[in-house]
Amino acid sequence: MKREQLTEKILDIKREKGWTWKYICEEIGGMSPFLVVGALLGQMKLVKPLAKKAAELFGLSEVEERMLNEVPMRGAGTPMPPTDPLIYRFYELVMVNGPAWKALIEEEFGDGIMSAIDFNMEMVREPNPKGDRVQITMSGKFLPYKYYGNEQGIPDYGFKES
């Protein structure tokens, strides 16, 4: 079985049982719903205790349970640029706002990046009389570039200089 086939099996069971992602995440627990759903869709991995819970919930075999614990090939299956309108809007946010985000982060923190690994994300529905809004909060650790081969007096890392 390929990982994509396991994802389809999970989606078929979800559909057949009439489960919501919220219900599934409550049953599996243990980490952010983004990570649980991401793992069930083949983009993240579940640690062994959570893979076991997911396998029990979905009635999966031992091999399928182990697949949920394997490190996936992240990003596989999403064309670039994305064609799904909702995913494309995130791509568009990065294309349009990315240069400003980069400039502002570098001005505040220095020469580096925001981690997408040491990262937190939350989503809430924000009621609004003009139409409910999607509020997404992202928080990633700042990782300065290392200046290797630097001579004495040259900083080791790209933290903001005073």
Side-chain angles (χ1 to χ4, degrees):
M1 173 181 275
K2 299 236 183 267
R3 187 59 186 86
E4 300 81 32
Q5 293 168 306
L6 179 55
T7 296
E8 287 305 316
K9 179 177 180 175
I10 288 168
L11 291 172
D12 286 344
I13 293 168
K14 176 187 178 291
R15 210 175 288 115
E16 179 184 302
K17 303 270 188 188
W19 292 340
T20 62
W21 286 119
K22 183 177 181 179
Y23 168 78
I24 293 166
C25 290
E26 287 170 354
E27 290 296 307
I28 296 171
M31 57 177 54
S32 163
F34 287 105
L35 297 176
V36 173
V37 173
L40 297 174
L41 294 176
Q43 296 299 310
M44 301 298 284
K45 75 169 247 176
L46 290 177
V47 294
K48 288 180 180 181
L50 299 185
K52 183 171 184 57
K53 282 184 169 184
E56 289 170 359
L57 180 65
F58 286 95
L60 303 178
S61 71
E62 286 184 35
V63 170
E64 291 166 332
E65 178 181 333
R66 286 196 297 272
M67 286 179 85
L68 291 174
N69 180 246
E70 292 176 357
V71 177
M73 180 63 72
R74 294 178 172 100
T78 302
M80 288 313 248
T83 55
D84 178 86
L86 194 145
I87 296 173
Y88 181 81
R89 290 302 168 260
F90 284 100
Y91 181 76
E92 182 179 44
L93 278 168
V94 172
M95 287 189 310
V96 173
N97 295 294
W101 294 342
K102 176 179 169 43
L104 292 168
I105 289 169
E106 289 172 348
E107 182 175 87
E108 181 69 25
F109 293 91
D111 183 14
I113 62 170
M114 182 179 85
S115 176
I117 295 170
D118 190 344
F119 186 81
N120 294 317
M121 184 166 37
E122 294 180 21
M123 182 193 76
V124 295
R125 184 182 196 129
E126 190 178 288
N128 187 300
K130 295 180 181 177
D132 289 357
R133 303 180 68 82
V134 179
Q135 181 185 28
I136 297 175
T137 304
M138 298 183 290
S139 172
K141 179 181 180 181
F142 178 73
L143 301 171
Y145 280 102
K146 181 174 185 192
Y147 300 148
Y148 52 90
N150 53 321
E151 298 174 1
Q152 187 175 8
I154 304 300
D156 290 335
Y157 292 95
F159 288 112
K160 182 177 178 182
E161 297 179 69
S162 319

